[in-house]
Amino acid sequence: MVLNTLSHLTCLSRKSYKVLFISCHSFISMSSSQSPALYDVVVVGGGIVGVATARELKLNYPKMKICLVEKEKELGMHQTGHNSGVVHAGIYYKPGTLKAKLCVEGMNLAYEYFDKRNIPYKKCGKLIVALNEQLEPLHDLYERSIQNNVKDVRLVSAEEIKTIEPYCKGVKAIHSPNTGIVDWGLVTRVMGEEFCELGGEIRLNQQVESFKENPESVTISTKQGDHLESSYALVCAGLQADEMALKSGCSLEPAIVPFRGEYLLLNPAKQHLVRGNIYPVPDPNFPFLGVHFTPRMDGSVWLGPNAVLAFKKEGYRWRDFSVRELFSTLRYPGFWRLGLKYTRYGSKEMIMSWFPSMRVNELKQYIEEIEAGDIQRGPSGVRAQALSSSGDLVDDFVFHSAGRTLHCRNAPSPAATSSLAIAKHILNELRREFKLDELSSR
């Protein structure tokens, strides 16, 4: 095998953090599919789950040659870099599920990691606030949090709500003091830096186009002309998870249907009205958590998000449109079955997207001082919602293997909070599917 590699090393400073990006453009000529693999494991996808797992692999197998491939110019540019920045405590999730376990475990690991790597964060806490008709679901949610072993949660009265959030009104609330906020994009870049420090390699601006199975390896080819040969591959592609799976011979299901969450920004003059996270009691009849108040590390306050269909998987605005991707969504039977379940809810969300001032009445239920003139359109994110053909939202992890490639088809929210715990779980999946210990001992 003849290998000519041109490596470009770029150091960027982000909030006093020196984050190393390695962009390598390799031109590989393979004389035989029996040639030794260039890498032991290639990880496709530079979101927080992919980066955390690449780091976990390198920590456990320091002698392995591991490469992470990302199609963007920077790590964490999609779901990771467009989320609310909340560090979740694990309150909402069904007791006994992997999702609940990994969130609670992941939050503890996350705070340890922030302290170890000097990443700024705030444990600003969270209130889940009940209005008069919501006491029963609030108590159900509290019982769920106890079963999930969420630390330090308690029920607080209307009077106690005022001591925590002076401008918030409600009859009762769950208080989670360990819920926090952080810049998850920064966390991902710091993880990427650590992965490189451990000897890992990151290739940016490389869009994977195909996977080719060989007797002793898999070849990952990119749109830019690279051909990466590896003993095994792991794909954590988020919004592109179903398309990547199709490329290696897996089925379409579960398909990824993109839902855009649009945030509003609170007038800086009113930011003092919100100290920590304020959430409504979620309606069990709908799949999303409802509009909430989220403080950010830069001092701003986000209000939202809503949930509307995106016309493109990376469609952060209404005008972002892909005929191919939209057609793929519309022809998927699961999408129409989901739409029939939530026609009224979906229609309401779309109307409020067009007329954001209509959200004010919802917001005023919790903080009366907010007026229509206090809000403006803010940033958006797109959620990679895995959907079955029956129209059910997939709420658990889905892994599919194709030869020497393992696809993480769904890493459900809150994937950022859970990322370090998810990485450990995926490592166990890799050990189960592939012979990592045997490979590392060569």
Side-chain angles (χ1 to χ4, degrees):
M1 179 180 293
V2 180
L3 172 65
N4 294 312
T5 304
L6 175 64
S7 299
H8 175 60
L9 299 146
T10 307
C11 293
L12 300 178
S13 177
R14 299 252 178 174
K15 295 184 181 179
S16 77
Y17 295 92
K18 191 177 181 184
V19 182
L20 179 64
F21 294 102
I22 302 181
S23 178
C24 302
H25 301 279
S26 302
F27 302 93
I28 305 170
S29 172
M30 289 173 285
S31 58
S32 169
S33 61
Q34 300 296 324
S35 301
L38 177 60
Y39 296 105
D40 295 307
V41 180
V42 168
V43 178
V44 178
I48 194 166
V49 172
V51 177
T53 306
R55 168 188 171 272
E56 189 70 21
L57 274 164
K58 199 63 182 166
L59 285 171
N60 282 268
Y61 299 102
K63 293 181 180 179
M64 278 190 181
K65 192 167 185 183
I66 301 170
C67 178
L68 185 141
V69 182
E70 166 57 38
K71 71 182 178 69
E72 302 293 353
K73 63 181 179 180
E74 193 174 302
L75 298 175
M77 286 193 69
H78 290 294
Q79 289 188 106
T80 302
H82 287 83
N83 65 30
S84 62
V86 176
V87 183
H88 292 279
I91 293 171
Y92 298 100
Y93 318 116
K94 185 178 179 180
T97 61
L98 194 59
K99 187 174 179 179
K101 174 182 178 293
L102 293 182
C103 183
V104 173
E105 179 186 342
M107 184 195 74
N108 294 329
L109 291 172
Y111 283 133
E112 289 175 11
Y113 189 75
F114 302 160
D115 289 334
K116 179 182 177 182
R117 303 293 294 195
N118 297 315
I119 298 172
Y121 66 93
K122 295 178 184 176
K123 278 191 183 181
C124 57
K126 174 180 182 176
L127 284 176
I128 302 174
V129 181
L131 305 176
N132 286 321
E133 69 277 11
Q134 297 173 325
L135 286 175
E136 184 176 346
L138 181 79
H139 282 275
D140 291 343
L141 197 59
Y142 175 70
E143 288 302 319
R144 176 171 284 196
S145 70
I146 297 300
Q147 292 178 57
N148 287 343
N149 296 313
V150 179
K151 293 195 302 184
D152 304 325
V153 289
R154 64 191 183 99
L155 288 170
V156 297
S157 65
E159 292 75 21
E160 288 178 286
I161 289 173
K162 291 292 185 182
T163 66
I164 299 166
E165 292 286 351
Y167 296 94
C168 180
K169 62 177 182 177
V171 296
K172 210 167 190 179
I174 295 170
H175 183 222
S176 170
N178 293 305
T179 298
I181 56 173
V182 75
D183 180 345
W184 286 114
L186 173 62
V187 175
T188 304
R189 293 189 291 272
V190 172
M191 285 183 183
E193 176 189 17
E194 184 183 6
F195 173 64
C196 290
E197 290 170 353
L198 293 167
E201 180 181 339
I202 295 177
R203 295 182 178 223
L204 302 174
N205 297 306
Q206 294 290 314
Q207 184 172 344
V208 171
E209 285 211 315
S210 67
F211 300 84
K212 179 185 176 183
E213 285 284 324
N214 308 311
E216 298 295 330
S217 65
V218 56
T219 302
I220 299 108
S221 298
T222 72
K223 186 177 180 180
Q224 290 71 27
D226 271 12
H227 304 283
L228 313 178
E229 191 179 355
S230 178
S231 295
Y232 301 107
L234 167 68
V235 182
C236 300
L239 286 159
Q240 310 297 333
D242 53 353
E243 294 198 17
M244 287 293 106
L246 282 171
K247 289 178 187 296
S248 67
C250 293
S251 68
L252 173 64
E253 190 171 348
I256 297 298
V257 175
F259 284 96
R260 184 170 63 254
E262 300 165 328
Y263 287 91
L264 301 172
L265 291 176
L266 183 62
N267 183 341
K270 295 286 185 79
Q271 288 173 0
H272 67 280
L273 299 176
V274 180
R275 289 181 175 179
N277 296 281
I278 302 172
Y279 279 54
V281 177
D283 188 333
N285 295 314
F286 299 116
F288 301 109
L289 295 179
V291 173
H292 40 269
F293 304 74
T294 305
R296 298 280 293 179
M297 290 299 295
D298 63 3
S300 63
V301 176
W302 289 11
L303 312 170
N306 60 1
V308 295
L309 178 68
F311 298 153
K312 183 181 179 182
K313 285 189 173 177
E314 294 163 7
Y316 299 104
R317 300 162 298 181
W318 277 105
R319 64 178 179 270
D320 292 337
F321 191 91
S322 167
V323 173
R324 181 185 65 82
E325 291 180 359
L326 180 59
F327 178 70
S328 178
T329 296
L330 295 179
R331 72 179 180 181
Y332 186 61
F335 169 73
W336 292 105
R337 290 173 179 136
L338 178 73
L340 288 173
K341 292 180 187 178
Y342 301 113
T343 301
R344 185 177 176 184
Y345 177 83
S347 300
K348 178 184 174 184
E349 290 291 285
M350 290 185 70
I351 291 169
M352 288 192 171
S353 172
W354 298 330
F355 305 101
S357 61
M358 293 177 67
R359 287 281 181 197
V360 172
N361 287 337
E362 290 183 46
L363 299 168
K364 286 176 74 69
Q365 291 182 90
Y366 302 95
I367 298 181
E368 286 183 326
E369 288 80 0
I370 293 179
E371 304 293 342
D374 295 325
I375 62 172
Q376 62 178 342
R377 292 186 183 275
S380 298
V382 180
R383 177 177 179 173
Q385 180 60 62
L387 186 66
S388 72
S389 59
S390 62
D392 296 319
L393 302 178
V394 180
D395 202 33
D396 208 348
F397 293 84
V398 177
F399 295 92
H400 285 164
S401 60
R404 291 176 169 268
T405 300
L406 179 67
H407 292 269
C408 180
R409 299 289 298 265
N410 190 44
S413 177
T417 299
S418 309
S419 57
L420 291 168
I422 291 173
K424 294 178 182 296
H425 178 76
I426 293 177
L427 178 60
N428 288 331
E429 286 288 327
L430 288 167
R431 283 172 171 155
R432 185 173 63 83
E433 289 286 336
F434 307 130
K435 300 175 182 178
L436 293 189
D437 292 328
E438 180 182 315
L439 183 66
S440 67
S441 64
R442 291 178 186 173

